[in-house]
Amino acid sequence: MAAEPTVDGLSAAEAAHRIAMDGPNTLAETERRTWRRIVADSAREPMFLLLVGAALLYLALGQLDEGLLLCLMVAVSLGLGLYQEGKTERALAALRDLASPRAHVLRDGCWHVIDSAGIVAGDLVAVHEGDRVPADAHVLSSTGLQADESLLTGESMSVDKDATAMLYAGSLVLQGHAIARVAATGGRSQLGRIAASLQSLRPAPSPLQRQSAALARTFAVLGMAFSVVLVLVYGLMRGDWLQAVLAGIALAMSMLPEELAIVMTVFPAIGAWRLSRQQVLVRRLPAIETLGAISVLCVDKTGTLTANRMDVVALYAHGARHPVLEESLPAALAPLLETAVLASTATGPDPIDRAVQRLGANLPPAQQHPDWSLVHEYGVSAQQRALVQVWRRPDGVLIAAAKGAPETVLGWCNPDADADADTGASAGLLAAASSMAQDGLRMLAVAQATLPGASWPARAADIPFTPTGLLALADPLRPEIPACVARCAGAGIRVVMITGDHPDTASAIARQAGLADTPVLTGAALDALGDAALDARIGALSICARIAPTQKLRLVQAFARNGATVGMTGDGVNDAPALKAAHVGIAMGGRGTDVAREAAALVLLDDRFASIVDAIGAGRRIHDNLRKSIRYVISMHAPIAGMAILPILAGWPPLLFPMHIVFMELIIDPACTLVFENEPAAPGAMLRPPRDAQAPLFTPAALARTLAMGLGPLLGVALAYGWALGALAPAQARAFGFTTLVFANLSLILVNRAAGATLFGSLRQPNRILWLVVAAALGLLALALYVPWLAAVFQFAALAPLLVAGAAVIGLAGALLPALLMRRHEH
């Protein structure tokens, strides 16, 4: 029988044994796409079906070499798709692993934060406000614990949990904290029993995916319509219906932009994987589209702009400020520190409480009170910006200790409650707090009360507090913040700091960060403004102070009404509505609650503002490269489709058969995904204003320009093939025309990756995959031209080097001239 956990929790060895026996604490997942599934899905694609049909036709015609080569090329194309989609699946799997929830577990006598998949039955876990319960567990001890079990029961009312209750996996801790022993994990939990219904959920396609799918459908319908007409025209004009069907298949293949679906899958997934390496977890892939369009970035101060390393740097009591030095504090300050410790949670994630507890460890043993018991807690809320804890001494007397915003705590104190003249009245403490906050210090007031009788009032405000002094805490600005704020300004992004701190503290930090010097909007002033007045004020706003989490939603909505694309950071339970309402919600991965992470589109794994700015830059790079890739796909299909139909209409021998189209696809597929996805960011990507997030991927004018970029190569290939038919043997003419088309294809890759830069400038931009694709394409072309049996299958004859050079020049010129003309017209 396995050992039961002790007060030290399970040992690491016992936990490993149990997870080996029971399996990980995970729910049954939606089936991941295995290589068999990817192959099966690819086999149902129209392009694959057209290729198989063409191969069967060649075999039916007795052209064994052509049929077998086409089958081989189908297999190569399928293998390339398998590699691309496999890379996408691996990226998504890595993101799923990163997104796994975390849990606080006691192992070998020490608390650890681990992946919740590693939780086993018998573990001791700690849950706090905002956490998702990692497994079914029996509560051992709790303080004011309330849970939302609506995920399981459908009931929205919170449920009180005491030391005899059961916590269920997936439920949300709304208030309080507890220690619990795990009873069931994974599929054995209550949530595990309903996991099957969750597997059927599928995310809705993003706007960009819908646009690209509509574009692909349009071209596919046109391609099928034109191919039917071509079959009829060819068959009626020449009487060769089998060749007519092959020409029709070639035209349909040439006009079917099946790469668009691959592009829309690969780019977001690989982009999200790249962002995860920059400590940014993408929970919702459509956020990739919006990330680069952010125009207003609302950020919290603590932990985002600052280092989230709170320390008590000064105490204020008896009318004087006392810096906290390495040596012990004067005895006269012990009551202030003693009360502050009593008003702080001993365990939990709050950095201020941890700072107070660290300093409180220096108190004399007689003032640490290990024999006092916590009997009640008044939590922090929008209406109560302070934490109040009620303790029972061994003699039964109740002591209330308060710590929080000076205006809140001192507002609870009797203005004349200065019996100890050394402590000073509430008004004097408020003035001192305001003065010290101007130095960028976080100011908290501390107060204490002895409660009459054996009970406590319903409201903390009804307790007769007496002030004991002030705490001054500092959270230093991260050193990289001024440079990051400057980068945002250069990119046309307005940074707005939203904090619950004192206005003077917020202004001091804003000055250090380099934010725009604007009047501070406080939470009280925000409540006094109607929506119209707020909209008028929001246009010139950079600092918001004393803002409650629930007020962040109004700010996000106001920025959005003003036409901004809003990025919003948050970490608490009450931040979830604002995170969800923002165009891009960004949760803190280190100090954030599970609820905030679930509501957000992005999670900062390192809680650094610099990571947000880097992610915006990456979002702009991904969107730029996505547009380059789609532009290349559309522009390249123009000459291929044109040369599939033009020779038929002109009475020439066909230039392209299905095997030639497959050859071109072997270049297009890796180019539109791997090459363009690997493109570096444009040098001025973070020096231009944000794009309009609502703008379509391609306007009609932009689509027309993209198609026009393909007309140059089409004209060049048509002229090259027409000349060759009169000057060369038919097989050489086809080889010359096809070689021109291959070089035009490679040239279009270079033209589209330039995107504003000169062609030669783009050649200097590093992209190893580009040159691998170019080398592979030229190598395959050389094999098709100079290996006799391959040349026979492609109906080619070998070309002299001078003719190959001529084809290269014509293909390059055909791609470059339209780009140069359009660039000159734009300027």
Side-chain angles (χ1 to χ4, degrees):
M1 183 175 176
E4 287 302 315
T6 68
V7 291
D8 292 333
L10 292 177
S11 67
E14 178 62 22
H17 171 72
R18 294 191 182 193
I19 203 168
M21 295 292 293
D22 299 338
N25 178 36
T26 55
L27 301 178
E29 293 185 357
T30 302
E31 182 182 357
R32 297 189 183 186
R33 281 165 55 86
T34 63
W35 69 269
R36 293 183 183 85
R37 177 72 178 273
I38 294 172
V39 169
D41 289 345
S42 300
R44 291 193 290 268
E45 291 293 327
M47 179 66 77
F48 183 85
L49 297 176
L50 288 171
L51 289 174
V52 171
L56 293 176
L57 270 178
Y58 275 119
L59 294 175
L61 291 171
Q63 299 176 355
L64 185 63
D65 289 346
E66 288 86 345
L68 292 178
L69 179 61
L70 194 54
C71 288
L72 176 63
M73 296 177 75
V74 168
V76 172
S77 179
L78 196 61
L80 183 60
L82 185 64
Y83 169 76
Q84 291 170 329
E85 294 218 23
K87 185 174 181 181
T88 299
E89 284 298 310
R90 288 192 296 274
L92 291 174
L95 293 176
R96 282 191 288 262
D97 292 341
L98 280 172
S100 179
R102 317 301 284 176
H104 296 261
V105 61
L106 185 65
R107 295 269 174 87
D108 294 317
C110 297
W111 287 100
H112 304 275
V113 179
I114 68 170
D115 189 324
S116 65
I119 295 293
V120 297
D123 263 328
L124 295 181
V125 296
V127 292
H128 303 87
E129 180 181 325
D131 288 349
R132 285 280 181 194
V133 178
D136 289 0
H138 294 287
V139 177
L140 301 181
S141 64
S142 67
T143 301
L145 189 66
Q146 290 185 350
D148 174 2
E149 297 178 347
S150 58
L151 182 65
L152 296 169
T153 66
E155 297 293 335
S156 59
M157 296 295 292
S158 61
V159 181
D160 292 325
K161 298 288 183 176
D162 56 24
T164 63
M166 187 80 176
L167 286 173
Y168 296 103
S171 59
L172 166 65
V173 178
L174 295 177
Q175 185 175 314
H177 45 85
I179 305 295
R181 177 181 286 120
V182 174
T185 60
R188 291 168 297 281
S189 67
Q190 291 289 334
L191 185 61
R193 298 173 188 175
I194 63 171
S197 63
L198 299 177
Q199 293 182 33
S200 62
L201 297 177
R202 293 289 185 274
S206 69
L208 198 58
Q209 288 172 325
R210 289 196 294 269
Q211 290 179 41
S212 63
L215 198 61
R217 284 195 300 270
T218 300
F219 278 101
V221 170
L222 290 175
M224 295 304 295
F226 284 143
S227 65
V228 170
V229 172
L230 180 63
V231 169
L232 294 175
V233 171
Y234 193 109
L236 293 172
M237 289 177 58
R238 305 191 185 185
D240 190 344
W241 288 98
L242 283 175
Q243 289 296 329
V245 171
L246 285 173
I249 290 175
L251 177 59
M253 291 169 58
S254 68
M255 291 192 66
L256 186 64
E258 47 89 22
E259 303 90 354
L260 291 182
I262 300 175
V263 167
M264 295 308 302
T265 301
V266 170
F267 269 72
I270 304 302
W273 174 75
R274 290 184 187 277
L275 284 173
S276 72
R277 299 174 69 185
Q278 297 175 221
Q279 300 298 302
V280 178
L281 172 62
V282 180
R283 288 184 53 87
R284 296 178 180 82
L285 291 183
I288 297 271
E289 301 174 25
T290 314
L291 188 57
I294 289 176
S295 57
V296 170
L297 184 57
C298 301
V299 297
D300 189 20
K301 177 186 75 67
T302 303
T304 306
L305 297 180
T306 59
N308 196 24
R309 195 177 60 246
M310 297 299 292
D311 285 309
V312 180
V313 296
L315 301 177
Y316 185 93
H318 316 301
R321 174 176 174 173
H322 304 272
V324 173
L325 305 175
E326 293 184 1
E327 60 266 18
S328 60
L329 290 169
L333 296 177
L336 168 58
L337 184 55
E338 175 189 10
T339 304
V341 171
L342 291 173
S344 303
T345 55
T347 59
D350 188 271
I352 293 177
D353 283 356
R354 290 202 299 266
V356 173
Q357 293 288 345
R358 279 197 306 272
L359 186 61
N362 297 321
L363 284 169
Q367 293 176 297
Q368 295 196 14
H369 310 303
D371 54 346
W372 290 21
S373 57
L374 180 65
V375 294
H376 189 66
E377 179 179 289
Y378 301 88
V380 180
S381 67
Q383 294 73 34
Q384 178 179 298
R385 302 177 187 276
L387 175 65
V388 180
Q389 298 195 137
V390 180
W391 298 83
R392 178 175 282 117
R393 296 190 325 207
D395 60 5
V397 174
L398 297 179
I399 302 295
K403 169 179 60 61
E407 57 266 37
T408 298
V409 173
L410 297 175
W412 293 338
C413 298
N414 187 330
D416 300 321
D418 55 342
D420 182 354
D422 290 333
T423 301
S426 299
L429 290 172
L430 277 173
S434 177
S435 175
M436 295 171 70
Q438 292 178 13
D439 296 330
L441 299 175
R442 173 75 176 270
M443 300 305 301
L444 299 176
V446 178
Q448 189 182 83
T450 301
L451 298 180
S455 62
W456 47 86
R459 299 190 314 146
D462 295 331
I463 297 175
F465 282 109
T466 299
T468 56
L470 302 172
L471 299 178
L473 298 99
D475 184 5
L477 192 75
R478 293 181 186 269
E480 71 273 15
I481 293 301
C484 291
V485 171
R487 281 185 67 195
C488 287
I493 302 168
R494 178 152 56 105
V495 178
V496 179
M497 182 176 71
I498 301 177
T499 179
D501 283 351
H502 191 280
D504 291 337
T505 304
S507 294
I509 293 295
R511 285 192 297 271
Q512 297 173 34
L515 295 178
D517 186 12
T518 61
V520 179
L521 175 66
T522 65
L526 175 61
D527 285 340
L529 294 174
D531 286 347
L534 179 59
D535 290 349
R537 174 124 184 229
I538 209 82
L541 187 65
S542 295
I543 310 167
C544 301
R546 285 291 187 246
I547 298 295
T550 52
Q551 293 175 317
K552 293 181 179 180
L553 177 60
R554 278 199 72 199
L555 290 170
V556 168
Q557 293 170 334
F559 282 120
R561 286 196 300 269
N562 277 23
T565 300
V566 186
M568 179 81 199
T569 69
D571 56 10
V573 175
N574 290 337
D575 290 336
L579 290 173
K580 205 164 188 66
H583 296 96
V584 181
I586 307 167
M588 302 297 109
R591 69 180 190 277
T593 60
D594 285 347
V595 176
R597 287 191 288 268
E598 290 174 12
L602 304 182
V603 178
L604 292 188
L605 300 179
D606 58 4
D607 291 3
R608 295 173 60 247
F609 180 69
S611 296
I612 303 176
V613 182
D614 291 341
I616 292 174
R620 293 190 177 192
R621 182 190 70 81
I622 292 168
H623 190 271
D624 287 349
N625 290 343
L626 184 64
R627 284 181 58 86
K628 292 178 187 178
S629 178
I630 295 176
R631 190 166 55 233
Y632 160 71
V633 168
I634 295 173
S635 62
M636 188 58 227
H637 274 274
I640 296 176
M643 292 311 297
I645 193 172
L646 187 60
I648 309 301
L649 299 178
W652 299 345
L655 174 65
L656 300 176
F657 293 112
M659 67 188 68
H660 301 110
I661 305 294
V662 176
F663 185 103
M664 298 303 297
E665 289 294 331
L666 292 179
I667 302 173
I668 295 173
D669 278 355
C672 71
T673 54
L674 304 180
V675 170
F676 285 103
E677 193 284 326
N678 200 52
E679 280 290 286
M686 289 295 282
L687 295 176
R688 63 172 187 253
R691 64 180 176 82
D692 182 1
Q694 303 303 317
L697 181 63
F698 284 101
T699 62
L703 186 59
R705 287 195 299 270
T706 299
L707 289 172
M709 289 180 65
L711 295 180
L714 172 59
L715 180 61
V717 175
L719 292 175
Y721 187 47
W723 170 84
L725 286 172
L728 304 173
Q732 275 192 313
R734 180 174 287 107
F736 185 76
F738 187 76
T739 300
T740 305
L741 182 61
V742 170
F743 277 102
N745 186 352
L746 298 177
S747 300
L748 276 177
I749 297 175
L750 300 177
V751 166
N752 280 285
R753 81 183 288 254
T758 64
L759 177 64
F760 297 107
S762 77
L763 292 175
R764 290 194 294 269
Q765 295 177 3
N767 190 332
R768 183 173 59 90
I769 295 179
L770 166 67
W771 301 116
L772 290 176
V773 169
V774 170
L778 295 179
L780 289 174
L781 178 63
L783 292 175
L785 288 175
Y786 300 112
V787 174
W789 72 269
L790 271 178
V793 170
F794 278 91
Q795 301 182 39
F796 288 164
L799 294 177
L802 189 60
L803 287 175
V804 174
V809 170
I810 296 171
L812 180 63
L816 281 179
L817 285 175
L820 291 174
L821 289 174
M822 282 189 283
R823 184 175 300 165
R824 180 173 297 178
H825 176 73
E826 289 171 359
H827 291 303

